[in-house]
Amino acid sequence: MIRHRPSMRNLTAATLLLCGLVVEGNCGADLDSLVSEALRPTAEQAGPNPRMLAAFRKAVDSSAKDPRSYRSALAAGRAAFYLEKDSEARRYLDLAISIAPDSVGGHYYSGVLHRFAGASDKAIAEFERAYQADRTWIVALREKAEVQANSGGDDEALATARRILTADSSNIDGLYLVGILLAGKGDSHGAVPYFAKTVAIDSAYKDALYNYGQSLQLNGSAKEAEPVFRSLHARQKSDWKILAKLEQVSYAQGKDSGANAYASELYALRKSGQVPELQREKMFVREQFQVGRRKVFALEYFDLVGDRAVRYSFKVKD
């Protein structure tokens, strides 16, 4: 449901330095030199290595009584996290919070660590503490909303996502979150304007485009949905689900020849073997429409199998 982002453990070493140290202020010449030394042999790699972690450890151990030790502990905690040494990361982050209880960084990265550990309630609490420590850290609200949604608290997640938009009405993550959460609750009409604003900001946002087109389709606006799905198809020729959507919205507009052309393209893609997922599928939704308050899905089977093989079947959903 939530927009996919690369694992936080895969950030570059330069991003680690920027996010973990610079955001909290100047870290001091001694720590800076240690970080530079740790970074030098891995500048082109995808993340910190054990040498970097050792540098951060040395910085923490050598500055226990120094005011800069909060930043050292925070950096060490982040380095340990990226190296998947979670117990060590927890120790350093707890140290950072004990030194600076109101620090945004300590609480934020503690929340991230709890999230990866599956401790949703603790993660939610830490992200809220981070936001209260610094109201410019809207990213903490985004993380909180995502954890709430992924743990089944859609109403709470929607309220948190709306708080993002209260703080910044054009925040793309807030707009998408509100849209996807409304769509998940069955309110496709309410979701459309949020998806529209999202793609107006980022026209290449594939998940937002797909859900925008899907919501328009569910609203009965096949004509408006078609160009959205076409733009996605132009970027993702091998995405069979987009082809199926184009077929559906074409039928909804009475464009039978266009729908049949998309169906032929879908069959050809399956036959090519380029998409293993598609080869495993036995059927696809050829058409969907509304009868009263019921949604009807016309399913088409790719292969005719058995003595009583069928090409089409129908599924009705209240």
Side-chain angles (χ1 to χ4, degrees), residues 3 7 62 94 98 113 147 197 207 285 291 311 316:
R3 180 184 185 182
S7 168
S62 65
D94 286 347
S98 70
L113 185 58
V147 174
K197 291 177 183 177
D207 289 344
V285 178
V291 178
R311 175 65 73 185
V316 179

mmCIF file of all heavy atoms in Angstrom, residues 3 7 62 94 98 113 147 197 207 285 291 311 316:
data_model
loop_
_atom_site.group_PDB
_atom_site.id
_atom_site.type_symbol
_atom_site.label_atom_id
_atom_site.label_comp_id
_atom_site.label_asym_id
_atom_site.label_seq_id
_atom_site.Cartn_x
_atom_site.Cartn_y
_atom_site.Cartn_z
ATOM 1 N N ARG A 3 4.036 3.726 -0.560
ATOM 2 C CA ARG A 3 5.053 3.916 -1.586
ATOM 3 C C ARG A 3 6.349 3.230 -1.176
ATOM 4 O O ARG A 3 6.865 3.414 -0.084
ATOM 5 C CB ARG A 3 5.293 5.413 -1.765
ATOM 6 C CG ARG A 3 6.352 5.730 -2.819
ATOM 7 C CD ARG A 3 6.599 7.219 -2.873
ATOM 8 N NE ARG A 3 7.516 7.551 -3.938
ATOM 9 C CZ ARG A 3 7.944 8.782 -4.196
ATOM 10 N NH1 ARG A 3 7.523 9.782 -3.478
ATOM 11 N NH2 ARG A 3 8.772 9.016 -5.181
ATOM 12 N N SER A 7 15.563 0.145 1.053
ATOM 13 C CA SER A 7 15.867 -0.098 2.453
ATOM 14 C C SER A 7 16.790 0.975 3.001
ATOM 15 O O SER A 7 17.753 1.379 2.362
ATOM 16 C CB SER A 7 16.535 -1.463 2.614
ATOM 17 O OG SER A 7 17.082 -1.608 3.907
ATOM 18 N N SER A 62 36.249 7.989 22.971
ATOM 19 C CA SER A 62 37.241 9.009 23.311
ATOM 20 C C SER A 62 36.616 10.338 23.718
ATOM 21 O O SER A 62 37.314 11.255 24.122
ATOM 22 C CB SER A 62 38.177 9.234 22.123
ATOM 23 O OG SER A 62 37.454 9.771 21.029
ATOM 24 N N ASP A 94 20.454 4.653 22.581
ATOM 25 C CA ASP A 94 20.015 4.919 23.955
ATOM 26 C C ASP A 94 20.965 5.881 24.645
ATOM 27 O O ASP A 94 20.546 6.754 25.418
ATOM 28 C CB ASP A 94 19.920 3.612 24.750
ATOM 29 C CG ASP A 94 18.705 2.782 24.354
ATOM 30 O OD1 ASP A 94 17.817 3.324 23.657
ATOM 31 O OD2 ASP A 94 18.642 1.596 24.750
ATOM 32 N N SER A 98 20.049 9.527 26.141
ATOM 33 C CA SER A 98 20.320 9.842 27.559
ATOM 34 C C SER A 98 21.115 11.135 27.690
ATOM 35 O O SER A 98 20.958 11.877 28.659
ATOM 36 C CB SER A 98 21.076 8.685 28.213
ATOM 37 O OG SER A 98 22.414 8.588 27.724
ATOM 38 N N LEU A 113 14.901 2.051 14.137
ATOM 39 C CA LEU A 113 15.391 0.762 14.613
ATOM 40 C C LEU A 113 14.238 -0.091 15.149
ATOM 41 O O LEU A 113 14.148 -1.292 14.854
ATOM 42 C CB LEU A 113 16.442 0.976 15.701
ATOM 43 C CG LEU A 113 17.144 -0.280 16.239
ATOM 44 C CD1 LEU A 113 17.830 -1.042 15.116
ATOM 45 C CD2 LEU A 113 18.161 0.100 17.312
ATOM 46 N N VAL A 147 4.003 3.233 9.705
ATOM 47 C CA VAL A 147 3.980 2.159 10.700
ATOM 48 C C VAL A 147 2.541 1.893 11.145
ATOM 49 O O VAL A 147 2.114 0.739 11.274
ATOM 50 C CB VAL A 147 4.864 2.509 11.909
ATOM 51 C CG1 VAL A 147 4.722 1.449 13.005
ATOM 52 C CG2 VAL A 147 6.325 2.608 11.493
ATOM 53 N N LYS A 197 -3.032 15.759 -7.079
ATOM 54 C CA LYS A 197 -2.020 16.705 -6.601
ATOM 55 C C LYS A 197 -0.648 16.044 -6.532
ATOM 56 O O LYS A 197 0.375 16.678 -6.804
ATOM 57 C CB LYS A 197 -2.419 17.248 -5.227
ATOM 58 C CG LYS A 197 -3.635 18.162 -5.259
ATOM 59 C CD LYS A 197 -4.025 18.600 -3.848
ATOM 60 C CE LYS A 197 -5.281 19.463 -3.866
ATOM 61 N NZ LYS A 197 -5.714 19.840 -2.494
ATOM 62 N N ASP A 207 3.534 4.611 -8.652
ATOM 63 C CA ASP A 207 2.487 4.117 -7.757
ATOM 64 C C ASP A 207 1.326 5.096 -7.672
ATOM 65 O O ASP A 207 0.157 4.698 -7.648
ATOM 66 C CB ASP A 207 3.059 3.870 -6.363
ATOM 67 C CG ASP A 207 3.990 2.666 -6.317
ATOM 68 O OD1 ASP A 207 3.951 1.863 -7.261
ATOM 69 O OD2 ASP A 207 4.745 2.536 -5.343
ATOM 70 N N VAL A 285 -8.598 -9.841 -15.288
ATOM 71 C CA VAL A 285 -9.884 -9.144 -15.315
ATOM 72 C C VAL A 285 -9.991 -8.425 -16.661
ATOM 73 O O VAL A 285 -9.299 -7.443 -16.906
ATOM 74 C CB VAL A 285 -10.010 -8.141 -14.156
ATOM 75 C CG1 VAL A 285 -11.352 -7.398 -14.238
ATOM 76 C CG2 VAL A 285 -9.891 -8.855 -12.814
ATOM 77 N N VAL A 291 -23.271 -2.885 -11.251
ATOM 78 C CA VAL A 291 -24.695 -3.189 -11.402
ATOM 79 C C VAL A 291 -25.361 -2.843 -10.088
ATOM 80 O O VAL A 291 -25.229 -3.582 -9.111
ATOM 81 C CB VAL A 291 -24.938 -4.672 -11.758
ATOM 82 C CG1 VAL A 291 -26.447 -4.939 -11.858
ATOM 83 C CG2 VAL A 291 -24.244 -5.033 -13.052
ATOM 84 N N ARG A 311 -13.820 -20.050 -21.024
ATOM 85 C CA ARG A 311 -13.004 -18.897 -21.357
ATOM 86 C C ARG A 311 -13.282 -17.738 -20.397
ATOM 87 O O ARG A 311 -12.382 -16.995 -20.038
ATOM 88 C CB ARG A 311 -13.276 -18.465 -22.802
ATOM 89 C CG ARG A 311 -12.555 -17.197 -23.222
ATOM 90 C CD ARG A 311 -11.033 -17.370 -23.243
ATOM 91 N NE ARG A 311 -10.596 -18.184 -24.356
ATOM 92 C CZ ARG A 311 -9.329 -18.554 -24.533
ATOM 93 N NH1 ARG A 311 -8.400 -18.225 -23.638
ATOM 94 N NH2 ARG A 311 -8.991 -19.287 -25.573
ATOM 95 N N VAL A 316 -18.842 -11.420 -8.546
ATOM 96 C CA VAL A 316 -19.658 -10.306 -8.076
ATOM 97 C C VAL A 316 -19.242 -9.954 -6.663
ATOM 98 O O VAL A 316 -19.103 -10.830 -5.794
ATOM 99 C CB VAL A 316 -21.163 -10.654 -8.110
ATOM 100 C CG1 VAL A 316 -21.996 -9.483 -7.603
ATOM 101 C CG2 VAL A 316 -21.577 -11.045 -9.523
#
